[in-house]
Amino acid sequence: MAKITLGGDPVETTGKLPQVGQQAPDFTLTVSDLSVKKLSDYKGQKVVLNIFPSVDTGTCATSVRAFNKEAANMDNTQVLCISRDLPFAQARFCGAEGIENVTMLSDFKTGQFGKDYGLEFASGAFEGLHSRCVVVLDENGTVTYNEQVQEVADEPNYKAALETL
């Protein structure tokens, strides 16, 4: 379990992120049109997993905007923004914000992604949601960078994540 804070209060996650050098677990997540995507669908591309509790919070929305801006300039790279938000909420946010360079994916059905990646809150007000993390994968799905933000309200280190690409 990772120990982080939410509004300064200690909380724990269900496990630990996949480590650098490890193969990332495959997943099945829901797209806004209710189709599904798997990590294996992105084989051969670099992948940035921008993971957060809810797009309806300030820091989460900021991370989507930041990665959307950066993704426009990246070759052979997909940015996947993942939360437990309903796909409809994700689509509404992207439409209102003009977000076009990232893919929004929802773990609303089972929460299995959060469990498999060890980043689901196990305690606190956000129990069951995803903690704020960034995981970068190479073209073969191997983890090249990971960060679990220590205080959920803080933004991830975009520069460090993008430099690994």
Side-chain angles (χ1 to χ4, degrees):
M1 289 188 181
K3 294 180 188 231
I4 57 177
T5 58
L6 173 62
D9 296 326
V11 293
E12 293 182 339
T13 62
T14 56
K16 294 189 183 277
L17 290 175
Q19 297 301 297
V20 171
Q22 288 182 330
Q23 195 69 25
D26 202 4
F27 55 72
T28 300
L29 296 169
T30 306
V31 186
S32 63
D33 66 2
L34 301 182
S35 64
V36 297
K37 285 287 189 181
K38 297 180 178 219
L39 177 58
S40 55
D41 294 333
Y42 300 97
K43 187 152 180 89
Q45 297 178 312
K46 296 175 187 174
V47 177
V48 177
L49 304 176
N50 175 36
I51 308 155
F52 48 86
S54 175
V55 76
D56 286 325
T57 64
T59 306
C60 300
T62 297
S63 73
V64 173
R65 287 184 204 107
F67 278 117
N68 182 67
K69 180 179 175 185
E70 293 296 330
N73 303 315
M74 295 187 287
D75 291 328
N76 196 39
T77 302
Q78 292 289 319
V79 177
L80 309 179
C81 295
I82 303 168
S83 69
R84 297 224 42 206
D85 290 302
L86 289 174
F88 313 115
Q90 293 175 335
R92 175 186 33 75
F93 171 81
C94 289
E97 295 281 333
I99 303 293
E100 298 177 344
N101 301 318
V102 300
T103 301
M104 300 294 282
L105 297 173
S106 176
D107 190 21
F108 84 101
K109 287 186 179 180
T110 65
Q112 195 60 48
F113 172 85
K115 293 172 181 64
D116 291 347
Y117 277 69
L119 52 83
E120 180 180 285
F121 285 108
S123 62
F126 283 7
E127 185 174 347
L129 296 178
H130 298 157
S131 60
R132 186 175 321 288
C133 304
V134 176
V135 179
V136 179
L137 311 174
D138 68 13
E139 296 89 343
N140 299 309
T142 302
V143 177
T144 60
Y145 175 86
N146 71 13
E147 175 190 13
Q148 185 165 48
V149 178
Q150 287 302 296
E151 166 53 51
V152 178
D154 293 342
E155 292 180 58
N157 187 340
Y158 305 111
K159 182 178 178 184
L162 295 171
E163 283 178 351
T164 65
L165 294 169

